[in-house]
Amino acid sequence: MNHAKQHYDGLTYPKVVVVGGGFAGLEVVRGLANKPFKVLLLDKQNHHCFQPLLYQVATASLGADSIAHPFRRTIGPLPNVAFRMAEVQEVLPERRVVRTNVGEFEYDILVLALGSTTNFFGNQQLAEVAMQLKSISQALDIRSDFLQEFERAMVLREENDLRRCLNFVIVGAGPTGVELAGALAEIRRTVLKREYREMDSELMRIVLIDSNDRVLKNFSEKSSANALRYLQELGVEVQLNTRVAGGDPDHITLADGTVLETNTVIWAAGVKGVLVPGLDKAVNERAHRYTVDRTNQLQGYPGVYALGDIALMEEGDAWPKGHPQVATVAIQQGRHLVANLLRSSNGQAARPFTYLDKGSMAVIGRGRAVVEMGGRSYGGVFAWLLWMLVHVVQLVGFRNRIMVLVNWAWKYLSWKNTIRLIIRPYVREGTAVSRPAALEGEAAPVPHQA
Amino acid sequence: MNHAKQHYDGLTYPKVVVVGGGFAGLEVVRGLANKPFKVLLLDKQNHHCFQPLLYQVATASLGADSIAHPFRRTIGPLPNVAFRMAEVQEVLPERRVVRTNVGEFEYDILVLALGSTTNFFGNQQLAEVAMQLKSISQALDIRSDFLQEFERAMVLREENDLRRCLNFVIVGAGPTGVELAGALAEIRRTVLKREYREMDSELMRIVLIDSNDRVLKNFSEKSSANALRYLQELGVEVQLNTRVAGGDPDHITLADGTVLETNTVIWAAGVKGVLVPGLDKAVNERAHRYTVDRTNQLQGYPGVYALGDIALMEEGDAWPKGHPQVATVAIQQGRHLVANLLRSSNGQAARPFTYLDKGSMAVIGRGRAVVEMGGRSYGGVFAWLLWMLVHVVQLVGFRNRIMVLVNWAWKYLSWKNTIRLIIRPYVREGTAVSRPAALEGEAAPVPHQA
């Protein structure tokens, strides 16, 4: 890493271009603040998104603004950091340039931290019908969607349409799938029961599908068992050892041929790294990530680093197949890279990265969570409180912490998901609305008006 | 109003269908709660929107969820009220039926409270390029838009493009226009200055255009003068006695031929009532409102009432041309109709409506507002605090009041508009982005990286 060194000899600061302001990228930007580097952050969004709480935006517990933080709020005061809202289209390593939709930017050091996107494993059919939960707009779409299904259900006459309308299928029982399923199940118990009185809330089904033999497969057996019990207590139908073969707007088909009629499929079954054209030598096709050494430097591209979800680092026997694609890895790799860059600017050698697994947690509902820490697993209310604490502390921005606390206090005292705003038109294909038949003639009677 | 009476003789309750859950409609629904009526609220949104604070959502001071309240939160607990999310397409008075996109609903009493929409006075050109501020999605569009213009400005090279990008034109100096202009001017002073340091914040222009000879023409001369002074103190360019002739995506043309280059035109110059086909006899074409008697009953349609913005009621000499299209009229007419319906159900005669003008207020910025009350006009900090108090009190929902208070406290202590989320793609025509030229080659240099 003597590229930085050279610049010091010339008394100029190295240009560090960071692509992506997720957990890893933001860590790097903050770490290099007021240090002898010229930092430029590029992101196609203007805000950092706290992804672990996206599902709460999708389920009307938090407003989007509570988990998002404008990059300029962080970067504004920093003299040596700039931000540009831009989508990176290509890296030209020989010229040390990144090409974006708003022009080219030079770099001495390139830090790629683009995170991951939903992986449909090539199933185009599903990619078209299923919803995802990787961005704020997707979360808002899911929120609008399930609320619109509820409202649709109130005017449908055919019980079959009604059941399809209220059948929510979530594929993938990792933390995201489990947390979504749990939150929807709580909405059935509270919102649907109380505020859609004319409808039988039991008509709503939440089906959680996974191809593994247990939920939260990266957690301990004990935590998986707890999570499964919590989900079942809340009335989630968990279908394990089950694969989804295909989907249409009004149903999905399982590998064994079973058909589930539904308007709403949420795909949380896998992610893949967001790669950029121009660095092919380092791409690991199978994992869809960049092969990096222990300093996160791309194989064959000096001065180019990949962090977090897109980085595939073999860490000896501990992580022979690379690290899990979670926030803690991204944060630790970001901090480690900063340390190495500062060491190199002092002429010291870089140190290899070692992942410190702080454990993992998932929340299923009020008073129901599982936590893995220090080789032990905890459940119940303690885990739930711990989960809330950890997430509030990690949020970027003091205001966001306040907002989340106020919202949670409100929600858990009032048993209400209040942020139930439908802010976009009902556009999804195949739903009752797009079928003229469902729009004509007499609506389902309003019982108390009959 | 003996339609209600008849039902009592038959021991059945009259069916009241309320179309529109704005200030007037919500007042009726709440007033008839637990009363001998079967109430059905129809609205194309699932939430009530507190329109007076929409401009704060548009200018990143409040989140959408702070000023919106799901109808079912209000209606859920009410035994005699139902809600359906539906768009009314036609009224069939002879059959006493409203036809909607989800079917037909019968009524004995029909209450139309659809509010108003932006009035472009037939200028199709402007209708296509200008943005509006009548709904939450429009507010979010304005927010995304001005933030995207800011980000665009950071990568433009031509000063001309830059100036056009940062030129914000607001047409109409009523409360909405004035409040928007003031808020944008404050953003220039705070956000733009602090967090876009590489850019000269003075390049941003806020032009407020009105065809009248003063701002807030419905306020007293004194308030207009105060408002004008506040706007000028904040650096808003106020152009009075000025008409807009036409617009294109990259400029607007004034009546005198002057061309203002801009990507962003916000139209706040007028509204018109939202009328429904089927009640033609009562339509006043000129005012685009329904002619109603002093009980808000439509001329020629017994049992059909119109409230608020869509109602044109001649109130003797006080309001010979009808009432202003503001919240207080809507709320008072809603309450009055409820009283009359209850009176009629007791066999008493209906009473004529009289508008009690409680005054009006507009806020221009921190510590700058104008208030008209009891024939007197107030300004400055007192008016500002009064404005905040009144608006928080009027908000629907305890949580919303808390959220707004927390947000305002945060904003006014930190001098920051935090909710700066761009949540939709940059799609507007004619802006730099849609011009390939602006996307190619070298971006404007990042000064501190040069």
Side-chain angles (χ1 to χ4, degrees), chain A residues 307-359:
Chain A
L307 303 176
D309 289 2
I310 61 169
L312 184 70
M313 180 194 298
E314 273 185 37
E315 191 188 320
D317 305 336
W319 305 95
K321 290 178 176 171
H323 303 98
Q325 288 164 297
V326 297
T328 47
V329 173
I331 292 167
Q332 289 178 33
Q333 288 186 341
R335 290 203 185 125
H336 188 79
L337 180 60
V338 168
N340 274 340
L341 291 176
L342 294 175
R343 291 174 58 78
S344 74
S345 70
N346 300 328
Q348 299 162 288
R351 289 186 174 151
F353 172 77
T354 310
Y355 175 47
L356 168 61
D357 189 350
K358 289 183 177 168

Coordinates of all heavy atoms in Angstrom, one line a residue, chain A residues 307-359:
Chain A
L307 N -15.3 -3.9 0.4 CA -15.6 -4.1 1.8 C -17.1 -4.7 2.0 O -17.9 -4.5 1.1 CB -15.6 -2.8 2.6 CG -14.3 -2.0 2.6 CD1 -14.6 -0.7 3.3 CD2 -13.2 -2.8 3.2
G308 N -17.3 -5.4 3.0 CA -18.6 -5.9 3.4 C -19.2 -6.9 2.5 O -18.5 -7.8 2.0
D309 N -20.5 -6.8 2.1 CA -21.2 -7.8 1.4 C -20.5 -8.2 0.1 O -20.7 -9.3 -0.4 CB -22.6 -7.3 1.0 CG -23.5 -7.2 2.3 OD1 -23.0 -7.5 3.4 OD2 -24.7 -6.9 2.2
I310 N -19.8 -7.3 -0.6 CA -19.2 -7.6 -1.9 C -17.9 -8.2 -1.8 O -17.3 -8.6 -2.8 CB -19.2 -6.4 -2.8 CG1 -18.3 -5.3 -2.2 CG2 -20.6 -5.8 -3.1 CD1 -18.0 -4.2 -3.2
A311 N -17.3 -8.3 -0.6 CA -15.9 -8.8 -0.4 C -15.9 -10.2 0.0 O -16.7 -10.6 0.9 CB -15.2 -7.9 0.6
L312 N -15.1 -11.0 -0.7 CA -15.0 -12.4 -0.4 C -13.6 -12.7 0.1 O -12.6 -12.7 -0.6 CB -15.3 -13.3 -1.6 CG -15.2 -14.8 -1.3 CD1 -16.4 -15.2 -0.5 CD2 -15.2 -15.6 -2.7
M313 N -13.4 -12.7 1.5 CA -12.1 -12.9 2.1 C -12.0 -14.2 2.8 O -12.8 -14.5 3.6 CB -11.9 -11.8 3.1 CG -10.5 -11.8 3.8 SD -10.4 -10.8 5.2 CE -10.6 -9.2 4.5
E314 N -11.0 -15.0 2.4 CA -10.8 -16.3 3.1 C -10.0 -16.0 4.4 O -8.8 -15.5 4.3 CB -9.9 -17.2 2.2 CG -10.8 -18.1 1.3 CD -9.9 -19.1 0.5 OE1 -9.0 -19.6 1.1 OE2 -10.2 -19.3 -0.7
E315 N -10.6 -16.1 5.5 CA -9.9 -15.9 6.8 C -9.5 -17.2 7.4 O -10.3 -17.7 8.3 CB -10.8 -15.0 7.7 CG -10.0 -14.5 8.9 CD -10.9 -13.8 9.9 OE1 -11.8 -13.1 9.5 OE2 -10.7 -14.0 11.1
G316 N -8.4 -17.8 6.9 CA -7.9 -19.0 7.4 C -9.0 -20.1 7.6 O -9.8 -20.2 6.8
D317 N -8.9 -20.8 8.7 CA -9.9 -21.9 9.0 C -11.2 -21.3 9.5 O -12.2 -21.9 9.4 CB -9.3 -22.9 10.0 CG -8.0 -23.4 9.5 OD1 -7.7 -23.3 8.3 OD2 -7.1 -23.8 10.4
A318 N -11.1 -20.1 10.1 CA -12.3 -19.5 10.7 C -13.4 -19.2 9.7 O -14.5 -19.6 9.8 CB -11.9 -18.1 11.4
W319 N -13.0 -18.6 8.5 CA -14.0 -18.3 7.5 C -13.4 -18.7 6.1 O -13.2 -17.9 5.3 CB -14.3 -16.8 7.5 CG -14.8 -16.4 8.9 CD1 -14.1 -15.8 9.8 CD2 -16.1 -16.5 9.4 NE1 -14.9 -15.5 10.9 CE2 -16.1 -15.9 10.7 CE3 -17.4 -17.0 8.9 CZ2 -17.3 -15.9 11.5 CZ3 -18.5 -17.0 9.7 CH2 -18.5 -16.4 11.0
P320 N -13.3 -20.0 5.9 CA -12.7 -20.5 4.6 C -13.5 -20.0 3.4 O -13.0 -19.8 2.3 CB -12.7 -22.0 4.8 CG -13.7 -22.3 5.8 CD -13.7 -21.1 6.8
K321 N -14.8 -19.9 3.6 CA -15.7 -19.5 2.5 C -16.1 -18.0 2.5 O -17.1 -17.6 2.0 CB -16.9 -20.4 2.4 CG -16.6 -21.8 2.0 CD -17.9 -22.7 2.1 CE -17.6 -24.1 1.6 NZ -18.8 -25.0 1.8
G322 N -15.3 -17.2 3.3 CA -15.7 -15.8 3.4 C -16.6 -15.5 4.6 O -17.1 -16.5 5.2
H323 N -16.8 -14.3 4.9 CA -17.6 -13.9 6.0 C -19.1 -13.7 5.6 O -19.4 -13.6 4.5 CB -17.1 -12.5 6.5 CG -15.6 -12.5 6.9 ND1 -14.7 -12.0 6.1 CD2 -15.0 -13.0 8.0 CE1 -13.5 -12.2 6.7 NE2 -13.7 -12.7 7.8
P324 N -19.9 -13.8 6.7 CA -21.4 -13.6 6.4 C -21.6 -12.2 5.9 O -20.9 -11.2 6.2 CB -22.0 -13.8 7.8 CG -20.9 -13.6 8.8 CD -19.7 -14.1 8.1
Q325 N -22.7 -12.0 5.1 CA -23.0 -10.7 4.6 C -23.8 -9.9 5.5 O -25.0 -9.7 5.3 CB -23.6 -10.8 3.2 CG -22.5 -11.3 2.1 CD -23.2 -11.8 0.9 OE1 -23.9 -12.8 0.9 NE2 -22.9 -11.2 -0.2
V326 N -23.2 -9.4 6.6 CA -24.0 -8.7 7.7 C -23.3 -7.4 8.0 O -22.1 -7.2 7.7 CB -24.1 -9.6 9.0 CG1 -24.9 -10.9 8.7 CG2 -22.7 -10.0 9.5
A327 N -24.0 -6.6 8.7 CA -23.5 -5.2 9.0 C -22.2 -5.2 9.8 O -21.3 -4.5 9.6 CB -24.6 -4.4 9.8
T328 N -22.1 -6.2 10.8 CA -20.9 -6.1 11.7 C -19.6 -6.4 10.9 O -18.6 -5.7 11.1 CB -21.0 -7.2 12.8 OG1 -21.4 -8.4 12.2 CG2 -22.0 -6.8 13.8
V329 N -19.7 -7.3 9.9 CA -18.5 -7.5 9.1 C -18.1 -6.2 8.3 O -17.0 -5.8 8.3 CB -18.7 -8.6 8.1 CG1 -17.6 -8.7 7.1 CG2 -18.9 -10.0 8.8
A330 N -19.1 -5.6 7.7 CA -18.9 -4.4 7.0 C -18.3 -3.3 7.8 O -17.3 -2.7 7.5 CB -20.2 -3.9 6.4
I331 N -18.8 -3.1 9.0 CA -18.3 -2.1 9.9 C -16.9 -2.3 10.3 O -16.0 -1.5 10.2 CB -19.2 -2.0 11.2 CG1 -20.6 -1.4 10.8 CG2 -18.6 -1.1 12.2 CD1 -21.7 -1.6 11.9
Q332 N -16.6 -3.6 10.7 CA -15.3 -3.9 11.1 C -14.3 -3.8 10.0 O -13.2 -3.3 10.2 CB -15.2 -5.4 11.7 CG -15.9 -5.5 13.1 CD -15.9 -6.9 13.6 OE1 -15.0 -7.7 13.4 NE2 -17.0 -7.2 14.3
Q333 N -14.7 -4.2 8.8 CA -13.7 -4.1 7.7 C -13.5 -2.6 7.3 O -12.4 -2.3 7.0 CB -14.3 -4.9 6.4 CG -14.2 -6.4 6.6 CD -14.6 -7.1 5.4 OE1 -15.3 -6.6 4.5 NE2 -14.2 -8.4 5.3
G334 N -14.5 -1.8 7.5 CA -14.4 -0.4 7.2 C -13.4 0.2 8.2 O -12.4 0.9 7.8
R335 N -13.5 -0.1 9.5 CA -12.6 0.4 10.5 C -11.2 -0.1 10.2 O -10.2 0.7 10.3 CB -13.0 0.0 11.9 CG -14.3 0.7 12.3 CD -14.5 0.7 13.8 NE -15.8 1.2 14.1 CZ -16.7 0.6 14.9 NH1 -16.4 -0.6 15.4 NH2 -17.9 1.1 15.1
H336 N -11.1 -1.4 9.9 CA -9.8 -2.0 9.6 C -9.1 -1.3 8.5 O -7.9 -1.0 8.5 CB -9.9 -3.4 9.4 CG -8.6 -4.2 9.3 ND1 -7.9 -4.5 10.5 CD2 -7.8 -4.6 8.3 CE1 -6.8 -5.1 10.1 NE2 -6.7 -5.1 8.8
L337 N -9.8 -1.0 7.4 CA -9.2 -0.4 6.2 C -8.7 1.0 6.6 O -7.6 1.4 6.2 CB -10.2 -0.3 5.1 CG -9.6 0.4 3.8 CD1 -8.4 -0.4 3.2 CD2 -10.7 0.5 2.7
V338 N -9.5 1.8 7.3 CA -9.1 3.1 7.8 C -7.7 3.0 8.5 O -6.8 3.7 8.3 CB -10.2 3.7 8.7 CG1 -9.6 5.0 9.4 CG2 -11.4 4.1 7.9
A339 N -7.7 2.0 9.5 CA -6.5 1.9 10.3 C -5.3 1.6 9.4 O -4.2 2.2 9.5 CB -6.7 0.7 11.3
N340 N -5.5 0.7 8.4 CA -4.4 0.4 7.5 C -4.0 1.5 6.6 O -2.8 1.8 6.4 CB -4.8 -0.8 6.6 CG -4.5 -2.2 7.2 OD1 -3.7 -2.2 8.2 ND2 -5.2 -3.2 6.7
L341 N -4.9 2.3 6.2 CA -4.6 3.5 5.3 C -3.8 4.5 6.1 O -2.8 5.1 5.7 CB -5.9 4.2 4.8 CG -6.6 3.4 3.7 CD1 -7.9 4.1 3.3 CD2 -5.8 3.1 2.5
L342 N -4.2 4.7 7.4 CA -3.4 5.6 8.3 C -2.0 5.1 8.5 O -1.0 5.8 8.5 CB -4.2 5.8 9.6 CG -5.5 6.5 9.4 CD1 -6.3 6.6 10.8 CD2 -5.3 7.9 8.9
R343 N -1.9 3.7 8.8 CA -0.6 3.1 9.0 C 0.2 3.3 7.8 O 1.4 3.8 7.9 CB -0.8 1.6 9.3 CG -1.4 1.3 10.6 CD -1.6 -0.2 10.7 NE -0.4 -1.0 10.5 CZ 0.5 -1.1 11.5 NH1 0.3 -0.6 12.6 NH2 1.6 -1.9 11.2
S344 N -0.3 3.1 6.6 CA 0.5 3.2 5.4 C 1.0 4.7 5.2 O 2.1 4.9 4.7 CB -0.3 2.8 4.2 OG -1.3 3.7 3.9
S345 N 0.1 5.6 5.6 CA 0.5 7.0 5.4 C 1.6 7.4 6.4 O 2.3 8.4 6.2 CB -0.7 8.0 5.6 OG -1.1 7.9 7.0
N346 N 1.8 6.5 7.4 CA 3.0 6.7 8.3 C 4.1 5.7 7.9 O 5.0 5.5 8.7 CB 2.6 6.4 9.7 CG 1.5 7.4 10.2 OD1 1.4 8.5 9.7 ND2 0.6 6.9 11.0
G347 N 4.0 5.1 6.7 CA 5.0 4.3 6.3 C 5.0 2.9 6.9 O 6.0 2.1 6.8
Q348 N 4.0 2.6 7.7 CA 3.9 1.3 8.3 C 3.2 0.3 7.4 O 2.4 0.7 6.5 CB 3.2 1.3 9.7 CG 3.9 2.3 10.7 CD 2.9 2.7 11.8 OE1 2.0 3.5 11.5 NE2 3.1 2.1 12.9
A349 N 3.4 -1.0 7.6 CA 2.8 -2.0 6.8 C 1.4 -2.3 7.2 O 1.0 -2.0 8.4 CB 3.6 -3.4 6.9
A350 N 0.6 -2.8 6.3 CA -0.8 -3.1 6.6 C -0.9 -4.3 7.4 O -0.1 -5.2 7.3 CB -1.6 -3.2 5.3
R351 N -2.0 -4.4 8.2 CA -2.2 -5.6 9.0 C -3.4 -6.4 8.4 O -4.3 -5.8 7.9 CB -2.5 -5.2 10.4 CG -1.3 -4.6 11.2 CD -1.6 -4.4 12.6 NE -0.4 -4.0 13.4 CZ -0.4 -3.2 14.4 NH1 -1.6 -2.8 14.9 NH2 0.7 -2.9 15.0
P352 N -3.4 -7.7 8.6 CA -4.5 -8.5 8.1 C -5.7 -8.3 8.9 O -5.7 -8.1 10.2 CB -3.9 -9.9 8.2 CG -2.9 -9.9 9.3 CD -2.3 -8.5 9.2
F353 N -6.9 -8.5 8.3 CA -8.2 -8.3 9.0 C -8.6 -9.6 9.7 O -8.3 -10.7 9.2 CB -9.3 -8.0 8.0 CG -10.7 -8.0 8.5 CD1 -11.1 -6.9 9.3 CD2 -11.5 -9.0 8.3 CE1 -12.4 -6.9 9.8 CE2 -12.8 -9.0 8.8 CZ -13.3 -8.0 9.6
T354 N -9.1 -9.5 10.9 CA -9.7 -10.6 11.6 C -11.1 -10.3 12.1 O -11.2 -9.2 12.7 CB -8.8 -11.0 12.8 OG1 -7.5 -11.1 12.4 CG2 -9.3 -12.3 13.4
Y355 N -12.0 -11.1 11.7 CA -13.4 -10.8 12.1 C -13.7 -11.2 13.5 O -13.5 -12.3 13.9 CB -14.4 -11.5 11.1 CG -15.8 -11.3 11.5 CD1 -16.4 -10.1 11.8 CD2 -16.7 -12.4 11.5 CE1 -17.7 -9.9 12.1 CE2 -18.1 -12.3 11.8 CZ -18.5 -11.0 12.1 OH -19.9 -10.9 12.4
L356 N -14.2 -10.2 14.3 CA -14.7 -10.5 15.6 C -16.2 -10.7 15.6 O -16.9 -9.7 15.5 CB -14.3 -9.4 16.6 CG -14.9 -9.4 18.0 CD1 -14.5 -10.7 18.7 CD2 -14.5 -8.2 18.8
D357 N -16.6 -12.0 15.7 CA -18.1 -12.2 15.6 C -18.7 -11.8 16.9 O -18.6 -12.5 18.0 CB -18.3 -13.7 15.3 CG -19.7 -14.0 15.0 OD1 -20.6 -13.1 15.2 OD2 -20.0 -15.1 14.6
K358 N -19.5 -10.7 16.9 CA -20.1 -10.2 18.1 C -21.5 -10.9 18.3 O -22.2 -10.6 19.3 CB -20.4 -8.7 18.0 CG -19.1 -7.9 18.1 CD -19.3 -6.4 18.1 CE -18.1 -5.6 18.3 NZ -18.3 -4.2 18.0
G359 N -21.8 -11.9 17.5 CA -23.1 -12.6 17.6 C -24.1 -12.0 16.7 O -23.9 -11.0 15.9

